[in-house]
Amino acid sequence: MFLVFNSFPQDNEKARLRISNSSNYTPISGVKVSDIIMNKIYTSNVNGYIYLEYIHYLALEISKKGYKTIKVYLTEDDFIDIEGCIVFLEKINVPDKSLINISEIELIRQNDIPELKSISGLYNSRGDLFDRHTMFNMSNARFRRRGYNYSENTITINNIKINSLYDGNVNWSTWSGIMHALKKDESTSYIESGNLSFGKMGSVTNYNSSPSNFRKITKAMFTQSNKTYKYRRQIMYNSGVLKDKLAFNLILSRKSSERSYFEGTDYNLDSFLAAIDYKIQSNSQINFTFIYTPLVKGKSSPNTKEVWGLTNNKYNSYWGFQQGKVRNSRIKKVKLPMVFLNYKYNIKDNIVLKLNILKQYGFVYNSRIGYNRAANPLPTYYQYLPSYFVRYSDDENFSNAYLVEKQFRENQEYRQLKWDDLYYINSSNPKSKYYMYDDVVSSGILKGNASLEIVLDKENKLNISSYLTIENSENYAEMTDLLGGELYYDTNPYSSGDAMYQDLENKNKPIKKGDRFIYNYEIESMQTGFAIKYKIHKYLWDSNITLDLNSTIYRRNGIFRNGGFANNSLGQSELLSFFGKGLKWDNSFKLSNRSFIKMNSMYSQNPPTVKTSFINMRVNNSVNPYHELELRKSIDMAYYYTGDSDKFQTKIFYSQLNNTVDGNFYFAQGLKNDSDDFVSETMYGINKLYKGVEIGFEKHFLAQYEFFTILNYGEYTYANKPKLMLQSESTNIENGNYGNVYIENYRLSGGPQAVFAFGLKYNSPKYWWVGLNNNFAWKNYIQISPLLRTSNFFEDENGSILNDIDRTKIISLLKQEDLGSSFYMNMSGGKSFRIKGLSFYLFISMNNIFNKTQYSGGFEQSRNANYELLLADKNREKPLFPSKYWMSYGTLYFLNLSVRM
Amino acid sequence: MKKNIIILLGLIICFSCAEEPSYEIPKHDCIEPDIEITNSLGQIKEMYIDRLIGIDQDLHIEGYVVSDDEQGNIYKVISIQNDFENPTEAIQLIVDKSYLYGIYPVGTKLYISLKNLGLDKVNGVFQIGYIHESSLIRIPSIKIDDHIFKSCESHEVSPRIIDIKNIDDSLIGMLISIENIQFASEDFGLAYGNLNNTYSVNRNMRIYDELCHEESSLILRVSGYSSFKNNTLPVKKGTITGVLGKYNNDFQLYIRDLSDVNFTQSPCIPLLENTFQTGIVNNLPIYIDGWVNFTEKGSEQWSGGIFRGDYFAQFSAYGTDEDENIGWLITPNINFAQTDEVYFSFETSKRSVDEGFDGFEVLYSNDWDSSLKGVNTANWQVLEAVLASDDDDDYDWVNSGEIPLVFHPNGYYIAFKYTGSGTDTKKDGTYRVDNIRAVVR
C-alpha cells in the first residue's frame, strides 16, 4: 500500500478547479485563488474554472468580494475525477439555504444534484480521517478498525459484491496490482450502506473499472521494497475518450522477489487488466473488463517463543535446501481471472439502469508436505526442540538439550527442512513416505447485479438493486510430487480398519502425480436478494434508510466415500437455506455550516458462511446442527467539525455480533476417555461485543505544515458463553458436545484494541514534501483456545472432576495473554520533477524506522486439553506446547518512481 | 510519445513467465563405512554382569536389521542378527527415533560403534542403549548417527525355522518362523489388538498334534498402535514369522505386519475347550458363560483354584459342615454333524480323597433341557473315562483318555458331579478338573 497518484496534469493540461455558489451552484467568475505555497495568483474565468499548475499538494486561499473567504487544502485524490474538483463559496449576509454541507465527507455523486455536471467531492472528501492515518501506518501492528473481521467490510467492483459466500472475505490476490486502473468511487463510513449494496457493520467500497473515469495517460512505475516483493514494474495506458465513443484502459504489472522479508519466501505476481468502454448511444454505455493476476508465493510459519529465541526474527520453518537450492514447502498459487460485463442506461434524465455481470473461474493451490508412517518433516516439531529433552522435571537430559540447541543456533541446515533426507528415506521403497500435494480449490463464480437509481426530486432519491451470486467449487487434494517415490497409498495413519481409507471405493488405488486423494467434495452455494435505499436530503437533515432481503442456499456434495464416515460422506448433504434481512438507518443533522452530527444504526440477520455451516467439510456431509442466522446490531454517533484549517471528528460506537460460529482444526490430547485425536472444533452461538471511541484531528498551519493526531480506544470481547463441539474420527456428534465455553469477557484477538498516533508533514514550495508519524498500539491479545475453557479442562479421563485443583493456578493458567504495547515510527517523503517533458514523481517511505520487532499476534495451542496436562506443561521451564506467535516486520522500506508522459 | 511507450514496455519483463521451479531427485552415492568389527553379538552379551554396564572401549559389532516399525507393532527398537541366512546370535538396540523402517529397512547391514553406550538386561532381554543417570535409555535421536552406521550392503533376510520347544534366550531379537501354529480357540473372534485404547495385548498361539492336543504355546504381542489391530485373528493354522522377544519368563513374538502371518490350513477347532485360564478367580464360584454351576444340595459350589499359574475347577465338601454337598459343573451343549468324529477328554486330580470314595462322576445327557430344575429329571449316564483314583498320587493330573462321542441329534451335555458330605470325613475329599476338550478329528 502506497499513496496513489493517478492523474498528473500533462504539459498542456493543468489541474482544473471550479468555484461555484453554494446555494444555487452557479459558477462564480473573477474569484481570486492564491496558491500560498507557490506564491501564485489565479482568477476564475467566466465558467468559474481555474487551471492550476500543481504538485501533489495545494494550499489555496479563495476569496471574492461579497463572499466568505476560505482556505482549502487539496491533494491528488481530490482531482481523481476527470472533471477535476469543485469548491463552493458562501455569500455573505445572505441567508444560508445551502444544501451542500461543506463539512460532509461523503462523496456527492453526479446524480445527486443534477444541475452539476460532476463533482469529485469537496476538499475533505478524501475518505475517513481515521482510516487515512491508520491503514498504512499501522499495518505492521495488524490493526483492524473496530476489531471487526475483514469480512465486515464489503468490497464491490462495478457494483458486484466481491466478498465470497464461503467465508465472507475478499480474495485480494485475484485483483492485486491493477488498482490504479480502478476508481474508488464510493467508500462509506462504518455501518452506512453503499449506494447499491447493503453491507455489514463495516464500510462499503465500490471500485469502478470504467476507463472513462480517467484522463488520457501513459504511465510507468518502478518500485523497490523489502516486504512481500522486491521489485515491481507497472505500466498503465488510458486512451482517453476517443471520438466520444470509445475508451480503453490497459495495465500490466509484475511484482517479484526471490527472497521476500521472511526467510525462504518468494513472491511473484503478474497483473493484467484490460477494460473497454463503448458508448452505444448518448445515454447508454457498455463496458467489458478482463482482470487476471496470477500469483505464486511462499509462506512463512508462526513459531513458539522458544523457536523465535533459537533462531531470528525472520525465521521460517517451511523451507529447506534441496541440493543447494531454496525450496519452500508451502507455496500458494492463485489463478482466478475475472471478466466483467457492465451496461449503463440512462432511461430518462432521472433514472439510471445498471446491469453488471461478473464471471470468475480458476484455481487456488496451497501446497504442503504430506507424510505417512514417517517422522514429522518440520524442523520445529516439538520432539525435535531442546524443550523436549528436559520435559520431565525429574529426568532432565540437559546435555542432549544443549546439543540440540547448539545445532539449532549454529547450523542452518539443521533448522530447515531436510529435503535431501526426505528423498533418501523415500528411496528405500517405491511407496513414498513423504510427498508433496496441493490443497486445490477450483471455483466457478457467477455474479450479477441489476439496479435502478431514481431521482424523485431535489430532495428524494430511491435506489433499487437486486443481486444474484452463484459460487461453486471443487475441493480436493492433488498429488504433485512423490519426492523420488513411484506411488503412494492413501491411508489415514491415525485410524485403523475401514476408517483408514479416505476414498473407500478405491481402497487400494496407487496414487500418482496428478491424482486426487485424501478428500474430494463440491460445494454449491447461491444467494439472491434485493436492497432498497431511500435517501432524503433536506436543509438541516439528511437521512438514508436501506432495506435488504436475501435468500441463501448451501449444499455439499461428497465425491469420496471416507472410511471413517462411510454413511455420511458420499453424495449430497442436506440443503441448507437461510432467509436474511436487514435494515439500516442513518441520519445527519447540520449544526452549522461547519459542523454536523451523524447517527448510523443497523439491524440485520445474515446467513452463516459456508465454512461454518459444515463442521468437517473434508471428510463428511455433517452440517453444523446449530446453523442459524447471525445477528448484527450496530450503532454509532459522530460529530464532525471542519474549520478553515482544521478538522475534527469523533465517534463512539457500540456493536453486537451475535450467534456467530468460529471453526478450527488441530491435534488434541487429553480429550474424553483419555484419547488423542485430530479434531475439527466448532464454537457456535458466539456473541461478540464491540464498543469504543474514535477521535481524529487534523490541522494545517503556516500553510506548509500538516499535523494530525488520532486516538482509538476500544473494548472488543466475547459477550457470552458459547458452546463447543468437536468432531473427530473417534467422536460423533453426541459425544462431541463439550458444553459451555467459559470465555465471557475475554478479549477478541486480532490486532490492538487501542491505538494512538500523531504526525507532522511539511510541504515545500520546491515540489517536495516529508512526513513523520508515530504510532502506539496496545491491548493486543492472543487467540484463546476454547477447548481449554470448557468443563473438559477440569475432568480426568473418566469424566469425573479432578481432585487437587489449585484455584490460583487456574487463573494464571487460563489468563489470556496480552502481547503488550508496540511503537512504530514511520517516515515518508516525495518529490516531483520534470525531465525532457516527462513528469517524474519519486516516493520513499520507511516503516518502523527503529526496526522494533515483536509479536504481532498469536494463538494458544489446544493440544493439552485438560488441567493436568496444561499445568504439567506450563510448569516445565520450557513448555512443549506453548502459544505460537507471528512476528511483526522490522524496518520496511518502499521506493517508488512513477513516470508520466 | 510512441517511442517512450515502447521503451517503457521493454522494461517490463515478460508476463507470467515466472518459471515453475523443477526439482531434481538428489542422487546418493553410497560410501561403505570403514569399520573394523571387534566382537560378535554373543560376546557383547557375555560382558553382562547382572547389572547395567557401560562400554568405554572402542568396540564395534555388526548385524542385519530384522525389525520393521512401519505398521506400528514395533516401536523405537532395532533388532539385528549376525547373519541374514543362518543367524546364530541377535541383539536389540533401543533408539529414540520412530519410523526406523525408512532409514534402516529390513535386511540392511549395520555397524554399531559401542563406545559410550550401555548394555543392560531389561525384563529378560539384552538391550544396547544410552546411559543416563544410572539407567539405560534409548539412544537420543541426535546421537544415533554417532553410533549406528549403514553399510551399502543389504540382503533379503530369511527367517530361521524354529521348533517352539527349542526356543531359548539366544534367539531373542532374531527373525524366526514357526510352522503348524494357530491361534488358541479361546481367542477366535478377537481382533489382533485392543480396539478401545492403545494398550498392548497378548494373543495366545498354540501348536496341536494330530489328535488336536495342545503341544506347545507362544504369545503373540500386539501393540495398541499397530495398524492391523482391528483385523480379526485368522481361524486357520500355518506359519508365523516375527522377531522373538521376551517379557520376564514368557517368550513373545512380534510380527511386523500381516504378511508375517501365513495361515492357510485348517486348524484344530475344539468344539469345546476350557483350560480355565480365563474368567476364573481362586476360591470363588465358577461363572462361565454357557456353563452351568448347579448346587443340588448344600451351599458349596464348583469353584476356581490355582496352582503355579495353572487355573482349574475344583469341588470339595471339606469344612462345609453340611451333611450333603452335591455340585454339578455342566458343559455347554456339544453338538456336531453325523459325519464328524468327535473325542472328548479332560484331566482330573484329587486331594485327600478316601479310598473307596465314589462321589465323583462324569456323566452325560442327551435330553437335559438346560434348566436348573431339569438337572434332576434329565437322563444322565456315566461317561466311560479314566479318572484320578486311589492309585494316583494327590495333585497328579490324570488324563481321561480320548472318549469317542457317538452322534446324537440333541448333542451332549457333560456333567462333572460331586456327591459328598462335610460331616463325613470319608466323603469330603477334593476333586479337580482341567483341560476339558471336545475335538473333531
Side-chain angles (χ1 to χ4, degrees), chain B residues 207-250:
Chain B
I207 292 189
Y208 293 88
D209 64 10
E210 318 82 58
L211 300 180
C212 278
H213 280 214
E214 182 182 324
E215 274 194 346
S216 33
S217 61
L218 181 64
I219 293 170
L220 182 74
R221 185 83 177 151
V222 180
S223 160
Y225 292 100
S226 53
S227 68
F228 50 83
K229 70 175 192 177
N230 265 6
N231 293 53
T232 318
L233 295 175
V235 178
K236 284 205 186 297
K237 82 172 177 191
T239 305
I240 196 166
T241 304
V243 178
L244 185 67
K246 196 179 189 190
Y247 186 76
N248 291 333
N249 293 323
D250 296 322

Side-chain angles (χ1 to χ4, degrees), chain A residues 249-299:
Chain A
N249 224 356
L250 218 68
I251 190 166
L252 204 70
S253 137
R254 174 89 187 272
K255 284 183 194 174
S256 69
S257 70
E258 239 182 69
R259 298 297 143 79
S260 301
Y261 183 84
F262 287 100
E263 286 178 0
T265 55
D266 61 349
Y267 189 91
N268 240 299
L269 175 75
D270 294 306
S271 316
F272 176 70
L273 177 148
I276 298 182
D277 271 350
Y278 179 70
K279 208 162 200 169
I280 306 172
Q281 293 173 292
S282 61
N283 59 352
S284 69
Q285 179 174 286
I286 193 164
N287 165 282
F288 169 83
T289 303
F290 175 73
I291 299 176
Y292 184 45
T293 66
L295 165 72
V296 179
K297 76 170 196 184
K299 300 190 211 166

Side-chain angles (χ1 to χ4, degrees), chain A residues 74-92:
Chain A
L74 301 171
T75 66
E76 222 69 19
D77 293 345
D78 298 305
F79 293 94
I80 284 176
D81 192 272
I82 195 171
E83 292 294 334
C85 178
I86 297 187
V87 175
F88 294 93
L89 284 187
E90 291 173 62
K91 272 202 146 186
I92 303 177

Side-chain angles (χ1 to χ4, degrees), chain A residues 111-229:
Chain A
N111 288 320
D112 284 356
I113 299 158
E115 289 95 316
L116 298 175
K117 210 169 165 203
S118 81
I119 306 179
S120 68
L122 301 180
Y123 62 88
N124 55 359
S125 66
R126 272 172 273 162
D128 188 275
L129 192 161
F130 200 83
D131 270 341
R132 208 159 61 235
H133 295 297
T134 55
M135 262 168 46
F136 178 50
N137 298 338
M138 295 201 182
S139 58
N140 206 4
R142 292 180 184 239
F143 174 69
R144 287 186 305 183
R145 184 141 177 218
R146 296 195 186 177
Y148 296 156
N149 289 337
Y150 292 114
S151 52
E152 289 303 310
N153 294 323
T154 304
I155 307 287
T156 61
I157 302 179
N158 299 324
N159 307 318
I160 295 180
K161 193 165 91 168
I162 303 297
N163 301 60
S164 76
L165 291 175
Y166 177 72
D167 58 6
N169 285 328
V170 171
N171 192 349
W172 295 92
S173 345
T174 65
W175 50 296
S176 178
I178 48 95
M179 297 292 272
H180 293 139
L182 299 178
K183 177 180 164 188
K184 191 200 284 196
D185 63 6
E186 175 177 29
S187 181
T188 66
S189 331
Y190 273 42
I191 303 180
E192 267 182 72
S193 63
N195 210 23
L196 299 173
S197 209
F198 186 75
K200 288 192 172 146
M201 298 196 296
S203 62
V204 178
T205 307
N206 185 55
Y207 292 92
N208 191 318
S209 68
S210 171
S212 311
N213 287 328
F214 300 93
R215 51 180 81 246
K216 181 171 153 80
I217 194 170
T218 308
K219 189 163 111 177
M221 199 176 334
F222 305 91
T223 312
Q224 190 152 334
S225 169
N226 70 336
K227 195 179 174 187
T228 37
Y229 60 86

Side-chain angles (χ1 to χ4, degrees), chain A residues 240-491:
Chain A
V241 179
L242 304 170
K243 298 195 180 161
D244 223 15
K245 266 197 176 296
L246 201 64
F248 60 91
N249 224 356
L250 218 68
I251 190 166
L252 204 70
S253 137
R254 174 89 187 272
K255 284 183 194 174
S256 69
S257 70
E258 239 182 69
R259 298 297 143 79
S260 301
Y261 183 84
F262 287 100
E263 286 178 0
T265 55
D266 61 349
Y267 189 91
N268 240 299
L269 175 75
D270 294 306
S271 316
F272 176 70
L273 177 148
I276 298 182
D277 271 350
Y278 179 70
K279 208 162 200 169
I280 306 172
Q281 293 173 292
S282 61
N283 59 352
S284 69
Q285 179 174 286
I286 193 164
N287 165 282
F288 169 83
T289 303
F290 175 73
I291 299 176
Y292 184 45
T293 66
L295 165 72
V296 179
K297 76 170 196 184
K299 300 190 211 166
S300 65
S301 56
N303 303 304
T304 60
K305 280 184 179 156
E306 179 186 8
V307 171
W308 287 117
L310 286 172
T311 55
N312 59 62
N313 288 339
K314 299 186 175 181
Y315 177 69
N316 176 10
S317 64
Y318 293 157
W319 70 278
F321 290 105
Q322 178 163 335
Q323 303 208 293
K325 271 204 297 197
V326 170
R327 183 175 183 181
N328 190 322
S329 61
R330 304 245 180 139
I331 307 261
K332 180 180 179 132
K333 288 191 232 181
V334 179
K335 295 184 190 186
L336 273 168
M338 296 167 117
V339 176
F340 288 92
L341 204 58
N342 304 302
Y343 175 68
K344 181 168 149 182
Y345 177 43
N346 288 13
I347 301 177
K348 289 187 193 177
D349 251 357
N350 62 333
I351 304 183
V352 180
L353 169 74
K354 287 179 188 163
L355 298 172
N356 311 91
I357 298 179
L358 163 65
K359 172 105 182 97
Q360 188 172 27
Y361 56 92
F363 297 87
V364 176
Y365 304 95
N366 280 293
S367 78
R368 208 176 247 270
I369 296 186
Y371 58 101
N372 193 332
R373 300 198 190 283
N376 191 322
L378 270 191
T380 52
Y381 182 54
Y382 79 101
Q383 291 186 10
Y384 305 153
L385 299 177
S387 53
Y388 187 70
F389 293 89
V390 295
R391 68 191 183 282
Y392 296 121
S393 57
D394 51 354
D395 184 23
E396 287 157 322
N397 198 333
F398 287 114
S399 55
N400 284 316
Y402 171 71
L403 281 172
V404 169
E405 182 167 329
K406 193 162 185 294
Q407 286 278 26
F408 233 90
R409 283 189 199 280
E410 296 172 13
N411 186 350
Q412 186 177 39
E413 284 210 24
Y414 183 82
R415 61 174 183 262
Q416 305 303 150
L417 272 177
K418 302 175 186 62
W419 288 102
D420 293 346
D421 277 6
L422 302 185
Y423 278 89
Y424 180 60
I425 293 174
N426 272 356
S427 66
S428 66
N429 196 306
K431 274 185 342 183
S432 285
K433 301 164 202 59
Y434 295 101
Y435 51 93
M436 282 284 287
Y437 69 98
D438 274 339
D439 286 318
V440 184
V441 180
S442 159
S443 308
I445 295 169
L446 183 66
K447 298 191 185 190
N449 198 70
S451 62
L452 278 173
E453 292 167 74
I454 307 168
V455 179
L456 298 167
D457 56 38
K458 259 199 212 175
E459 295 178 351
N460 297 282
K461 195 176 166 200
L462 180 68
N463 291 348
I464 307 173
S465 69
S466 69
Y467 51 93
L468 167 72
T469 296
I470 300 176
E471 290 175 23
N472 292 334
S473 63
E474 273 180 67
N475 307 268
Y476 52 90
E478 183 178 309
M479 178 66 79
T480 53
D481 191 341
L482 287 160
L483 299 183
E486 283 166 28
L487 52 86
Y488 172 74
Y489 286 110
D490 183 19
T491 55

Side-chain angles (χ1 to χ4, degrees), chain B residues 13-31:
Chain B
I13 305 170
C14 70
F15 182 76
S16 205
C17 324
E19 270 176 35
E20 285 275 347
S22 64
Y23 295 100
E24 276 175 23
I25 300 173
K27 295 196 186 86
H28 286 100
D29 296 319
C30 186
I31 304 173

Side-chain angles (χ1 to χ4, degrees), chain B residues 51-151:
Chain B
R51 57 175 169 77
L52 167 69
I53 61 160
I55 301 172
D56 41 16
Q57 307 119 285
D58 208 1
L59 305 181
H60 297 273
I61 54 173
E62 67 180 8
Y64 293 86
V65 176
V66 295
S67 54
D68 181 326
D69 59 354
E70 180 178 1
Q71 300 302 332
N73 199 27
I74 292 176
Y75 180 67
K76 294 194 173 177
V77 162
I78 303 177
S79 294
I80 56 173
Q81 58 187 42
N82 63 346
D83 194 353
F84 56 90
E85 304 199 280
N86 294 311
T88 51
E89 300 166 352
I91 199 164
Q92 271 189 13
L93 305 157
I94 53 172
V95 291
D96 191 15
K97 197 166 184 150
S98 301
Y99 307 110
L100 297 161
Y101 77 101
I103 311 168
Y104 311 110
V106 171
T108 311
K109 181 172 173 186
L110 298 181
Y111 301 109
I112 318 291
S113 165
L114 293 175
K115 182 168 181 177
N116 295 326
L117 293 182
L119 172 74
D120 200 358
K121 197 170 189 183
V122 180
N123 295 325
V125 174
F126 281 107
Q127 290 180 338
I128 294 175
Y130 190 76
I131 301 182
H132 175 67
E133 288 181 3
S134 327
S135 60
L136 196 71
I137 63 165
R138 296 182 177 122
I139 303 173
S141 52
I142 201 171
K143 290 227 155 40
I144 290 177
D145 289 340
D146 292 340
H147 295 281
I148 301 183
F149 303 92
K150 277 177 74 163
S151 162

